[in-house]
Amino acid sequence: AQSVTQLGSHVSVSEGALVLLRCNYSSSVPPYLFWYVQYPNQGLQLLLKYTTGATLVKGINGFEAEFKKSETSFHLTKPSAHMSDAAEYFCAVSDDMGGAQKLVFGQGTRLTINP
Amino acid sequence: GAGVSQTPSNKVTEKGKYVELRCDPISGHTALYWYRQSLGQGPEFLIYFQGTGAADDSGLPNDRFFAVRPEGSVSTLKIQRTERGDSAVYLCASSLSGGLSYEQYFGPGTRLTVT
């Protein structure tokens, strides 16, 4: 079975500082990996995804993530935090089986940006 | 265009009652997913529809939960004999088709509280 672990349920950084949100996964097949962001009272929005090919993936709003198979990790980074980045972030894994994109999510990391 | 909509946004019901939660997917999207998000947790997969049929209902927790999509568009999640443990945010997502090539677009969710 697939699973996702997000290290740190809360992360706080200063505006302009590096954002690093950690995600480790477990999968018995080549994984497809996703990061979603959830703003209050809104639906989840896809930030970026890794399927195959280049292991460094760039997403929206200046975020990027690197797939490291040897470390089973898919950490999310942004060089300089903005106040608007404050939200809940979810890492998810899926596999290409059965036609359904069944996402398995981590428990989420709440990002706070300090002025 | 319009995104995924869910009604009601909030539902409070008494233990033992029956509830229906509605999802209106993006027009033309053939794939529809239901997830459940308990407090402090990431979303958990419940059921996947491709067209009118439930292609994968492996995430439904028990036979009190049922979902339909009779015309391949709107879907209704039905919960019988609600229990306090059913309290959660129920999320709906749709995508152009099944499979990992297609982004899932999430609705804002229905917050269900069972008293």
Side-chain angles (χ1 to χ4, degrees):
Chain A
Q2 297 171 310
S3 65
V4 173
T5 301
Q6 291 184 239
L7 298 176
S9 57
H10 291 86
V11 170
S12 181
V13 302
S14 298
E15 191 174 17
L18 171 72
V19 175
L20 170 60
L21 305 182
R22 299 178 186 273
C23 172
N24 288 87
Y25 69 91
S26 173
S27 177
S28 58
V29 297
Y32 293 78
L33 296 158
F34 305 79
W35 275 99
Y36 283 84
V37 60
Q38 187 175 37
Y39 297 102
N41 301 316
Q42 295 186 28
L44 282 81
Q45 180 182 6
L46 181 65
L47 275 178
L48 50 80
K49 68 178 181 181
Y50 168 80
T51 54
T52 59
T55 56
L56 181 62
V57 181
K58 295 186 184 299
I60 61 172
N61 302 338
F63 284 93
E64 62 183 36
E66 185 171 11
F67 168 59
K68 292 187 176 180
K69 184 178 179 180
S70 61
E71 299 178 7
T72 60
S73 70
F74 191 57
H75 301 330
L76 182 71
T77 61
K78 182 174 180 177
S80 177
H82 295 164
M83 296 298 293
S84 61
D85 294 328
E88 184 112 27
Y89 292 80
F90 293 93
C91 181
V93 64
S94 185
D95 60 43
D96 190 13
M97 295 178 65
Q101 190 188 122
K102 290 167 58 175
L103 297 170
V104 175
F105 287 87
Q107 80 277 19
T109 297
R110 183 167 299 278
L111 177 64
T112 302
I113 311 297
N114 302 312
Chain B
V4 178
S5 62
Q6 294 185 245
T7 53
S9 55
N10 283 282
K11 176 70 176 178
V12 181
T13 190
E14 294 180 348
K15 179 176 178 293
K17 298 291 188 181
Y18 168 84
V19 296
E20 290 189 351
L21 311 180
R22 176 187 170 107
C23 172
D24 281 85
I26 294 172
S27 178
H29 281 194
T30 63
L32 186 145
Y33 302 80
W34 283 98
Y35 294 85
R36 179 169 69 173
Q37 186 175 14
S38 300
L39 191 63
Q41 303 296 318
E44 294 178 295
F45 169 81
L46 295 177
I47 188 169
Y48 159 65
F49 286 90
Q50 180 58 48
T52 61
D56 187 337
D57 64 358
S58 61
L60 295 178
N62 52 60
D63 61 6
R64 295 187 297 107
F65 289 75
F66 190 71
V68 295
R69 195 185 185 200
E71 298 178 356
S73 177
V74 170
S75 177
T76 305
L77 179 65
K78 308 180 180 193
I79 310 174
Q80 298 177 324
R81 305 183 303 281
T82 53
E83 299 178 356
R84 292 193 180 87
D86 299 335
S87 296
V89 176
Y90 289 81
L91 300 171
C92 176
S94 71
S95 63
L96 195 58
S97 184
L100 291 160
S101 300
Y102 302 97
E103 179 179 345
Q104 288 188 37
Y105 294 85
F106 283 80
T110 293
R111 183 175 299 279
L112 175 66
T113 303
V114 181
T115 62

